[in-house]
Amino acid sequence: MTERLVIIGNGMAPGRMLEHLFELAPGRFRVTIFNAEPRVNYDRIMLSPVLSGEKRFEEIVIHGDGWYVANGITLYKGHRIVAIDRVAKTVTSSHGVTEPYDRLVIATGSSPFILPVPGKDLAGVLSYRDLDDVEAMILAAQAGVKAVVIGGGLLGLEAAAGLRAQGMAVSVVHLMPTLMERQLDPAAGYLLQKALEKRGIEVITGATTRAIRGETRVEGVELADGRIIEAGLVVMAAGIRPSADLARDAGIAVGRGILVDAQMATSDPAILALGECAEIGGRVYGLVAPLYQMAEVAARSLAGAPGKGFAHSDTPTKLKVTGIDLYSVGDFADGEGRDEIVLRDAAAGVYKRLVLKDNRILGAVLYGETADGGWFGDLLKKGADVSAMRDTLIFGQSYQGGAPLDPMAAVAALPDDAEICGCNGVCKGKITGAIVAGGLTTIDDVRAYTKASSSCGSCTGLVEQLMSLTLGAAFNPTAVKPICPCTDLGHGDVRRLIVAKALKSIPAVMQELQWKTSCGCAKCRPALNYYLIAEWPGEYVDDKQSRFINERVHANIQKDGTYSVVPRMWGGMTTAAELRAIADVVDKFQIPAVKCTGGQRIDMLGVKKEDLPAVWADLGAAGMVSGAAYAKGLRTVKTCVGTDWCRFGTQDSTGLGIRIEKFMWGSWTPAKVKMAVSGCPRNCAEATCKDVGVICVDSGYDIHFAGAAGLDIKGTEVLCHVATEEEALEVIVALTQLYREQGHYLERMYKWLKRVGMESIRAAVVEDREKRLAYFERFRHSQSFSQKDPWAERASGRVAAHEFRPMAELGLREAAE
Ligand SMILES: Cc1cc2nc3c(=O)[nH]c(=O)nc-3n(C[C@H](O)[C@H](O)[C@H](O)COP(=O)(O)OP(=O)(O)OC[C@H]3O[C@@H](n4cnc5c(N)ncnc54)[C@H](O)[C@@H]3O)c2cc1C
Ligand code: SF4
């Protein structure tokens, strides 16, 4: 019989628990989740990259809407549970929904601690906990106010760096003499402060906040010494408290958090608690690694197969601020019988300190160079005796006697369940398994398939070592191919940094990302032009000189130096008036050849460059626009005749094709995009070799993508099935936008799929409607700037007129001079 499992809170811990539970006991529970936040489960630790602009919310969602549907979970979004009735075994939400349970899991996380100072409730005072906070901070940044962050711990500093990246003036006010004093010793804290100040963040340590000033909204922060710091935004990041009130009110035993045993059971055996709200062995936790361990334990316990239970281990701390490397783990306070090993390299800004007792590592602090963090952490976890390597211990793993010959030995020796990526809780076996099963060859592939190394990035070195071990010579760790010799950065990094640093012009990208040439080259300029146009629609002005000749003149150059002109024919349909206009143009400009293209259009070949504007003007007068047959953008949407004419057609394939084309024309994409819609599986429009293809069937529309019929020949993959034309358009547009945002310049859709994997694409545009609509909306927004016919602009003579002015015809001899 299915049992009713109710979960309060939909954060990272219960999300992970359910993944385990569905594996261990499929079908055993009917799951209902109540979440006070009005959204699906997302990677909370990645809010900082969202704040700094390095990621979008859609990229940090862990389980999209589709996942809940697929697993039969009822998710109440925006429902806060206000009461647990342990006798009736029900929970009741703020909206009045009462749900019975057989087993209940409380996973309410933590609440930010708000300093009890005057002014704490003023508008403009925020905490840093969820997406709403991040969105409010980004809005404040856009308003150009100054920010004060109260709290110089991990969260506060990530908030400060994120706000600074958004262009705000930021001050950090910290109570203690050095930053992150719980994770860093004073020397490392000092280096961190210097690094932040170098980025333009003011740091005020040893400062007590007395009040927040302002009438109705924040105007400043008053310190105990009387100083007043001007502020339009105050972010309180002064600590967190387990959210345990609900449990306390229900009579469940609570200390600092909800008291649980090693199997995550509370004082009521029908109720479990896990995550930041739980207290176990006198400790509460605020990092995901132990919470994921709790998740596994709770899943086993619910599945009726309890394992060995939760055991404490130290979790390393890393700061997710791009360009600042720090790592700390364990206990590094001074004490009886403890000694330390310290390495300082002032010039390189490197500081390393190990605290030892009885020849075992108790704690490690690394700043500036953190590659050995995992190794020190592992020695600490195992309680390894380091006396034999004590002299060289601080220099790291590669200096150790016996081991320097093979720096991979330690990684090779790790058991399959050794955690490699702490942020995402990915173990060695999962990574090596995915490399083999998925034929993964690049770090990006591994990130897309396993999530390892996709968060704070500190495990990237380890993941690369695992790739080397698994693939041998087939793995090239430097395989992040730079875009071109002008830079060492690959396409992915350049795209990410354009967003993170809000770079909005080609010179800005080249300057900020340290291009090695003054003006770039024919490889990087078109790529940068595309990335900027895709990222900042409406703001970035297209740089004509960064386009290839065909895109610059909006026609295809042919081998004799003349051009071919292809007007758009929506979904392959035309009219007598259009055909007449084409015929007139052919006569008037003595165009030598007219041909039907494979994409159901008419190609006029042999047009002189200087005639192009006049040809376009005449075609434009008949209502025709550029077919973009030259573009790294949407080209054709080929259709069959569908239900209008064909005996077999199941849907209006022509109508859908026209609708798609009218919606999407003018859009720029990483490489050309061709589409087709066939009215039935007979597939007369050859939709299964296109970038996007639709096959209409009785029950709706099968959406295919990632086909090719050029240099590479490839059949499409099936993305999904949808019931209505509306949904088909939604999915196709969202898919194209995802490709626009992730594709490397000149990377066709099928290559993009191979790189990022089907799973992530489906998760973004099929399973999760909210995400899909967000991509759809971004595409629509960008279209409001793109759907200008380039032919009309040029035919008017106001745009790029010089491009089409005739030059003197030179004979060979003259040209040589
Ligand atoms: C900005 C930021 C950066 C971080 N960086 C890192 C990092 O780098 N590394 C790391 O390991 N950890 C980091 N953390 C901490 C990590 O995110 C948390 O430890 C983890 O998300 C906690 O998971 P949880 O499931 O216990 O709770 P949460 O993810 O907080 O989820 C609790 C959910 O319960 C909901 N809820 C609360 N009360 C109720 C109720 N009565 N009814 C219904 N729903 C309710 C809340 O709305 C919330 O959605 C960071 C946290 C933040 C905020
Ligand atoms: S694909 Fe089907 S509906 Fe379309 S023309 Fe061919 S047979 Fe007819």
Side-chain angles (χ1 to χ4, degrees), residues 61-78:
V61 166
I62 298 175
H63 297 132
D65 283 305
W67 183 82
Y68 296 90
V69 175
N71 290 293
I73 301 169
T74 306
L75 171 63
Y76 287 95
K77 295 181 193 168

Side-chain angles (χ1 to χ4, degrees), residues 221 289 367 401 435 445 628 640 646 711 791:
V221 170
Y367 186 93
I435 293 170
D445 287 343
C640 73
C646 179
L711 282 176
W791 284 359

Side-chain angles (χ1 to χ4, degrees), residues 515-641:
W515 240 241
K516 294 184 215 159
T517 51
S518 60
C519 301
C521 69
K523 243 179 146 179
C524 60
R525 285 193 73 96
L528 294 183
N529 192 48
Y530 168 70
Y531 294 149
L532 291 164
I533 219 165
E535 200 52 56
W536 314 112
E539 278 185 76
Y540 174 70
V541 181
D542 186 26
D543 178 32
K544 313 264 174 321
Q545 294 318 312
S546 296
R547 290 197 175 272
F548 296 125
I549 176 69
N550 286 350
E551 286 189 345
R552 213 163 61 227
V553 299
H554 296 274
N556 279 322
I557 191 161
Q558 300 298 348
K559 68 178 199 179
D560 63 352
T562 64
Y563 288 82
S564 79
V565 169
V566 183
R568 200 166 274 288
M569 281 185 181
W570 308 102
M573 294 293 284
T574 186
T575 61
E578 284 183 355
L579 291 174
R580 207 169 284 122
I582 289 174
D584 287 345
V585 162
V586 170
D587 282 347
K588 183 170 164 187
F589 296 93
Q590 295 174 11
I591 295 174
V594 183
K595 185 164 191 328
C596 291
T597 70
Q600 298 181 328
R601 297 183 298 192
I602 290 177
D603 190 356
M604 288 163 263
L605 292 137
V607 184
K608 291 197 209 79
K609 189 176 185 185
E610 60 269 28
D611 284 345
L612 287 172
V615 166
W616 294 336
D618 285 6
L619 294 170
M624 280 178 274
V625 298
S626 170
Y630 44 79
K632 310 283 175 254
L634 178 76
R635 300 221 176 149
T636 46
V637 183
K638 189 174 176 178
T639 65
C640 73
V641 292

Side-chain angles (χ1 to χ4, degrees), residues 639-643 645-651 653 677-685:
T639 65
C640 73
V641 292
T643 39
W645 297 97
C646 179
R647 288 174 298 133
F648 303 106
T650 58
Q651 315 282 352
S653 48
V677 187
S678 285
C680 82
R682 285 172 183 77
N683 191 15
C684 295

Side-chain angles (χ1 to χ4, degrees), residues 7-15 34-39 41-48 76 79-82 107-111 128-130 134 154-155 158-159 240 243 246 274-278 285-291 315-316 318-320 422-423 456:
I7 302 173
I8 308 175
N10 193 31
M12 300 181 72
F34 290 87
N35 196 28
E37 277 186 73
R39 48 187 73 93
N41 181 21
Y42 61 93
D43 192 343
R44 196 176 300 283
I45 72 177
M46 297 308 283
L47 283 176
S48 294
Y76 287 95
H79 278 241
R80 176 175 292 280
I81 291 296
V82 289
T108 43
S110 292
S111 315
Y128 186 22
R129 184 71 198 170
D130 59 25
V134 170
L154 186 95
L155 273 197
E158 287 188 6
I240 51 173
S243 298
L246 186 65
L274 80 157
E276 284 189 354
C277 65
Y285 291 90
L287 293 171
V288 286
L291 309 188
T315 306
K318 302 148 204 157
L319 184 70
K320 297 187 299 298
C423 294
C456 72

